[in-house]
Amino acid sequence: MRVFLIAGEASGDKLGAALMAGLKSLSEVEFMGVGGPLMEAEGMTSRFPMDELSVMGIAEILPKYQHLKRRIEETAEAVLKVNPDVLITIDSPDFCLRVAKKVKAKSSIRTVHYVAPTVWAWRSGRAVKMARVIDQVLALFPFEPPYMQAAGMECDFVGHPVVAESLATPDQAHAFRVKNGFENKPLLMVLPGSRRGEVSRLAPIFGEALRAIVAKRPEVNVVIPTTGNVTNLVREQVKNWPVQPLILSPINQGKDAYLAEKAACFAAADAALAASGTVSLELAANDTPMVIAYDMNWLSRQIISRMLKVDTVTLVNLVSDTRAIPEFIGSDCKPDRIAAAMLQVMENPGDQRAAMRLTMKRLGKGGAAPGLRAARAVLRGVKPVNSDGSGPETDESRES
């Protein structure tokens, strides 16, 4: 079976690699397409560097628009030339769905998109547009299939990759505390985001919230796991915080060492103050109580607040169908409100734990790995074709 895959970001590379491993365990597969180092390690030679597609925002995309347009054409032509049994596009809809559209215009190649668009939250019309070029969707959340099916696509919930992540052991968490002088002290993890704009907006707000927290809990210690691209910005932003945090960064240490340190930090923290996003699922996986807060620029806030179709954006709340996690979004993202909720969570963290455990169960914890579930879903819909495109190969066709 021939499978053409396209991933445009590190998260997609991770999903793609797990899917490829699942497919290899179930069938004889030949891979081709575009991916990152993890997908290449599973047996695919990327047609061009995946990081060419890892651009976000109008200011970043405009200078590269013509180049990306050429890559879309080249990739679609490559798909049509090799005529795979299935084209699997992974997230990155601005690139992937344009490729799928061009492929569908000239062929009947089966198309699968991994990661459903968040039509349950806003812009529901995206599903209908997507259905014109996508046959099947692999969804990360259990509540997504009905939305995709209503638009005319097959959709399988395959589980969220967070349930397959390796967690630190209690001994590793304890060692992290001892190493950094946090033994027998309350430890608060602060996560102001991984993009520069997020950090610039949220760090001052989080710092003021911490001022109110430390005024009542002066024994609190703070740690910030961050990413290399914002490490220096975080260091600059926290200079005036009431307590100087320990900053964890991949800079000047190996990737594996950093990931182990970060995992230990998540397991060791008593509670977390975090920007909205998938980090809430990482915290839930570690059974770490949290408060979620997020703000954006004024114009984005006005537009998005009018388009939102849900009363919470915290994934733990949505998956568990509770509102156990306090969140402060947009105009509610105020230091005093955040601090009051954080103090309450630190005092009584147990209220969130049932919702976090239910979330992990509903996302697939304890079942087959998401990559394997995704592979099974793909194979259910694939009808292998011959190299000349003449259709499924059978015993009779081989004999003739």
Side-chain angles (χ1 to χ4, degrees):
M1 185 175 77
R2 287 170 294 162
V3 179
F4 198 110
L5 302 104
I6 306 171
E9 297 184 56
S11 58
D13 183 40
K14 195 171 185 178
L15 288 171
L19 170 58
M20 290 168 69
L23 287 169
K24 287 193 297 183
S25 73
L26 299 171
S27 180
E28 291 290 327
V29 193
E30 178 187 359
F31 298 115
M32 57 208 77
V34 180
L38 298 178
M39 291 170 70
E40 290 191 307
E42 290 294 336
M44 185 183 78
T45 300
S46 186
R47 300 185 68 89
F48 55 83
M50 183 190 73
D51 58 13
E52 289 187 18
L53 309 182
S54 301
V55 291
M56 295 184 64
I58 295 175
E60 291 80 14
I61 289 174
L62 282 178
K64 300 181 178 181
Y65 174 75
Q66 290 301 326
H67 178 70
L68 289 171
K69 189 175 178 182
R70 285 194 297 272
R71 286 302 196 196
I72 290 169
E73 294 286 348
E74 291 171 13
T75 306
E77 288 173 7
V79 176
L80 292 167
K81 183 176 180 179
V82 301
N83 189 32
D85 296 293
V86 60
L87 165 63
I88 303 174
T89 55
I90 307 171
D91 213 356
S92 303
D94 289 339
F95 184 88
C96 287
L97 297 185
R98 283 177 169 82
V99 173
K101 180 179 180 180
K102 291 182 177 295
V103 168
K104 277 296 190 185
K106 296 182 178 180
S107 77
S108 59
I109 293 170
R110 183 170 178 79
T111 52
V112 177
H113 190 69
Y114 198 169
V115 182
T118 55
V119 297
W120 41 268
W122 69 315
R123 290 176 59 199
S124 56
R126 287 175 291 169
V128 174
K129 293 180 180 178
M130 188 169 156
R132 298 169 189 161
V133 299
I134 295 297
D135 298 308
Q136 179 186 18
V137 178
L138 306 178
L140 304 186
F141 298 105
F143 52 77
E144 292 178 319
Y147 293 93
M148 302 296 103
Q149 292 160 353
M153 293 173 283
E154 300 170 36
C155 186
D156 295 86
F157 165 61
V158 298
H160 196 285
V162 72
V163 302
E165 294 286 339
S166 296
L167 304 179
T169 65
D171 285 346
Q172 289 168 330
H174 178 71
F176 175 85
R177 279 180 166 272
V178 171
K179 174 186 173 182
N180 294 291
F182 300 143
E183 193 173 14
N184 301 319
K185 297 177 182 178
L187 181 59
L188 177 62
M189 182 162 52
V190 178
L191 300 144
S194 59
R195 299 187 181 106
R196 294 184 65 83
E198 291 174 334
V199 173
S200 296
R201 280 191 300 273
L202 296 179
I205 297 171
F206 286 7
E208 287 305 304
L210 277 173
R211 197 173 302 281
I213 293 168
V214 173
K216 294 192 174 182
R217 297 286 300 271
E219 75 278 17
V220 165
N221 289 267
V222 177
V223 60
I224 303 179
T226 188
T227 53
N229 62 309
V230 296
T231 295
N232 290 334
L233 177 60
V234 168
R235 286 178 176 147
E236 184 64 31
Q237 290 282 341
V238 304
K239 283 182 178 179
N240 295 320
W241 279 16
V243 54
Q244 284 304 295
L246 170 67
I247 298 175
L248 308 183
S249 171
I251 296 176
N252 298 326
Q253 65 175 318
K255 179 181 177 182
D256 290 344
Y258 170 70
L259 291 177
E261 185 179 44
K262 179 183 174 185
C265 174
F266 269 72
D270 295 303
L273 169 57
S276 175
T278 56
V279 70
S280 70
L281 299 181
E282 294 182 65
L283 292 166
N286 284 276
D287 207 29
T288 305
M290 70 194 87
V291 170
I292 299 298
Y294 198 80
D295 200 6
M296 57 215 79
N297 65 58
W298 182 86
L299 181 59
S300 295
R301 186 198 296 174
Q302 299 306 307
I303 294 171
I304 293 174
S305 64
R306 286 166 172 76
M307 296 175 71
L308 273 179
K309 299 163 59 180
V310 290
D311 66 344
T312 178
V313 297
T314 299
L315 292 170
V316 174
N317 287 341
L318 289 164
V319 176
S320 65
D321 196 22
T322 70
R323 298 299 180 262
I325 309 301
E327 67 174 34
F328 301 90
I329 309 298
S331 59
D332 288 330
C333 188
K334 304 295 185 186
D336 57 337
R337 298 181 186 180
I338 295 169
M342 198 75 248
L343 286 165
Q344 188 173 11
V345 167
M346 293 171 71
E347 187 69 28
N348 186 18
D351 292 347
Q352 296 189 14
R353 292 206 157 102
M356 292 192 289
R357 288 166 186 164
L358 178 59
T359 295
M360 290 299 105
K361 181 179 178 181
R362 288 182 173 176
L363 292 181
K365 186 175 182 179
L372 180 59
R373 293 177 64 171
R376 289 171 177 164
V378 168
L379 290 173
R380 280 198 300 270
V382 170
K383 297 177 181 178
V385 298
N386 299 322
S387 57
D388 61 2
S390 60
E393 187 176 56
T394 64
D395 291 338
E396 292 78 9
S397 67
R398 283 192 290 270
E399 290 171 0
S400 62

